[in-house]
Amino acid sequence: MEASVAARPLISVGALCGSLRTGSCNLGLIRSAIEISKSIKGLQIEYIDISPLPLLNTDLERDGSFPPAIEAFRQKILEVDSVLFASPEYNYSVTAPLKNAIDWGSRDPNVWGDKAAAIVSAGGGFGGGRSQYHLRQIGVYIDLHFINKPELFLNAFETPPKFDSDGNLIDEQAKESLKELLLSLQAFTLRLQGR
């Protein structure tokens, strides 16, 4: 078994956070995922910052090209094998910055198509679960393929705390759940690509 794990091809994951706050627990989930990925052979995660993206306005598209920040973002999505979303919940849905990034990526030609994806979230009582389900619906139209299990919803406000005051994940059981999710994303990406 160990030999087959060592022989796995490299899977690159682009990680997007729907919150723009520096101390966001959802950004903390991405930082933790990047750290955990260092212990998983064949998996590499890169954080893709969506904060520089202007609001979607098709007037910004000129002669089949996009503004430089959008072109750079779209290129990064094209280059990764799969996507990890950290999706906080705003008003039962995904955040405006995340929806904006998704919409820019879906402009013709759609850069999301046929990529594997996974979602993590932290928030209030349901841990951002409603945003996850809404994001899955969006994914149907843009041809993203989400792993079904495991799901990871974390209540960011319960006691004992799962996050420190800087938004870093400190709960060991949650870290283990996050690792299981990343392993599932890796395996699903390989299967989807026929590797």
Side-chain angles (χ1 to χ4, degrees):
M1 178 67 176
E2 184 58 36
S4 65
V5 171
R8 280 187 175 167
L10 180 66
I11 294 298
S12 61
V13 180
L16 282 68
C17 183
S19 175
L20 304 183
R21 288 188 321 105
T22 306
S24 162
C25 294
N26 286 279
L27 187 54
L29 286 171
I30 288 179
R31 286 192 299 268
S32 193
I34 290 170
E35 190 59 36
I36 290 168
S37 72
K38 294 173 184 175
S39 69
I40 301 174
K41 289 187 187 302
L43 188 70
Q44 180 179 355
I45 301 177
E46 176 188 1
Y47 171 60
I48 301 173
D49 185 7
I50 63 173
S51 66
L53 305 182
L55 289 176
L56 179 70
N57 178 350
T58 55
D59 287 346
L60 299 175
E61 298 176 33
R62 303 270 157 110
D63 302 319
S65 66
F66 300 92
I70 302 303
E71 289 282 5
F73 169 74
R74 289 171 54 85
Q75 187 59 41
K76 281 189 178 287
I77 299 302
L78 278 172
E79 291 170 357
V80 298
D81 297 302
S82 54
V83 184
L84 174 65
F85 294 96
S87 183
E89 181 179 319
Y90 288 7
N91 300 317
Y92 281 22
S93 186
V94 298
T95 65
L98 184 55
K99 183 64 165 63
N100 186 57
I102 291 168
D103 290 345
W104 273 122
S106 71
R107 297 294 297 157
D108 194 35
N110 174 24
V111 298
W112 305 108
D114 287 328
K115 291 191 184 293
I119 317 169
V120 295
S121 61
F126 195 33
R130 292 180 196 92
S131 72
Q132 288 202 24
Y133 294 141
H134 196 185
L135 184 52
R136 286 176 182 275
Q137 287 178 311
I138 294 166
V140 169
Y141 186 77
I142 60 175
D143 293 324
L144 272 172
H145 305 290
F146 287 99
I147 62 170
N148 290 325
K149 294 177 185 169
E151 294 180 307
L152 184 58
F153 318 94
L154 295 176
N155 186 323
F157 309 107
E158 68 185 0
T159 304
K162 293 194 176 351
F163 297 88
D164 66 17
S165 60
D166 295 321
N168 296 307
L169 184 62
I170 56 173
D171 183 89
E172 291 304 319
Q173 184 175 352
K175 287 181 182 181
E176 189 56 39
S177 296
L178 181 54
K179 183 173 184 177
E180 290 174 18
L181 182 139
L182 294 175
L183 288 167
S184 179
L185 176 60
Q186 180 185 38
F188 183 59
T189 303
L190 289 168
R191 195 168 85 228
L192 197 63
Q193 294 179 343
R195 295 204 267 166

